[in-house]
Amino acid sequence: MGSRKVSTDQQVSDWQGKRVTVAGLGVSGIPAARVLHGLGAVVTVVNDGDDERSRAQAAELEAEGIAVRLGDGATLPEGTELIVTTPGWRPDKPLFAAAAEAGVEVWGDVELAWRLRGPGAAPWLAVTGTNGKTTTVRMLASILEAAGLRTAAVGNIGVSLLDAVLDRETYGDLDVLAVELSSYQLHWAPSLRAHSAAVLNLAPDHLDWHGSMEAYAADKGRIYEGNTVACVYNAADKATEDLVREADVEEGCRAIGFTLATPGPSQLGVVEGILVDRAFVENRQKQAQELAEVADVNPPAPHNIANALAAAALARAYGVEPRAVRDGLRAFRPDPHRIELVEEIEGVVYVDDSKATNTHAAEASLAAYDPIVWIAGGLAKGATFDELVSRSAKRLRGVVLIGADRALIREALARHAPEVPVVDLDRADTGAMSAAVREAAGLARPGDTVLLAPACASMDMFANYNKRGEAFADAVRSLATTGRA
């Protein structure tokens, strides 16, 4: 691939000859390097790894005139005026300490995209949170499309913001962007200013990267800085409202809550199975606007209804009519491995929520069903399970444990749900998921849900959560056709 063509309205002269170091190859580093090279910058990519894949990527970039240093991501290249980093590089890397000492700024690819927007660029409706980001952003894009707006779901969802901002041949002139942002991306995006933004929830995650829960929350809260119309928060999660209170926003920007209960003024919520808006109405003290029915949300699990309300709040902040909220939610289809119904076999429903890779996500998934045979386990990433188990114990018919850190869940079950039958599968081979499904089927009764919501990462047994979910679905379908997983 050649250097990316940059729109003529960009300030190319600002970059001509500027010495920029890009930290890291991969899905964001390589596009950033190409964009900067196309703007006339003198680009050097540094990368810790020096494996076969890195060498192949380096060869492509070097053929385009971009310098690459493999196996040395710690040393600041001489003359560096700016660092653009990939999101995964931790703030405590030696490269960034050297940059601070030299007075060199560090941006992420999101910051670069924000700075490269042309005149009249599409505003950003931004979403972050520990869980539910991708679903909410895709719901939001569906609502915006239903309103007849030209939009794209971009960012941490897997579509480069640099592409959305610069590649007009592919994306055209968009009206508005639905943007998913991770805490990593927000950490490196100091000048981002969204039209409106939402923090869906906050729970301990990625603390090894951020160093503390306080630092993690602070990076999430950056999404509210400079908002012009609405800061959307979760009324059931006080920490998200606290972030709104701490944010420095444009005058007139409003705090908008969402709740699964009856909403107060300046909130969206649920009344008798109807999603309603008491925020973007003429008289929010006395009026409520019907937006959609709970049945329009797919699937209508409690945490997914919360996602829908957050998406609706952002869309309404942008001026979208109520009918488009309903039509957009009806048109939305969730991504695989997110509370996905696989099969119903002999009265037992099998649900794949392999994306529930932490305790917060698993608790939301468990809250959607009752009674449950729960398949759980994997890499705990430092998590503890007592709170999850104690809150979910009454819903559990049985538990099947897999993965490297399953003992942590088993011990929490012994403390908080000693009466629940537990099958502990001491195996990590490719057939382990089939065995787990067979064991779960043996524990389940008609009317039960067998739920894969591991509360753990997958890399001890599978390449990623997608492969884990596929293994579960394959085992369930085998069970349906042959009676054996």
Side-chain angles (χ1 to χ4, degrees), residues 285-329:
Q285 297 296 329
K286 297 181 179 179
Q287 288 181 316
Q289 172 66 56
E290 179 177 332
L291 299 176
E293 296 183 7
V294 166
D296 293 324
V297 180
N298 181 20
H303 66 290
N304 212 40
I305 297 167
N307 294 338
L309 289 165
L314 290 171
R316 293 286 282 159
Y318 194 68
V320 166
E321 292 297 318
R323 181 185 292 268
V325 174
R326 181 201 65 189
D327 292 348
L329 291 176

Side-chain angles (χ1 to χ4, degrees), residues 316-350:
R316 293 286 282 159
Y318 194 68
V320 166
E321 292 297 318
R323 181 185 292 268
V325 174
R326 181 201 65 189
D327 292 348
L329 291 176
R330 285 179 177 175
F332 171 75
R333 295 292 178 269
D335 285 342
H337 316 302
R338 290 170 167 84
I339 330 176
E340 183 179 15
L341 173 63
V342 178
E343 292 279 354
E344 181 175 343
I345 305 170
E346 297 179 358
V348 176
V349 172
Y350 292 78

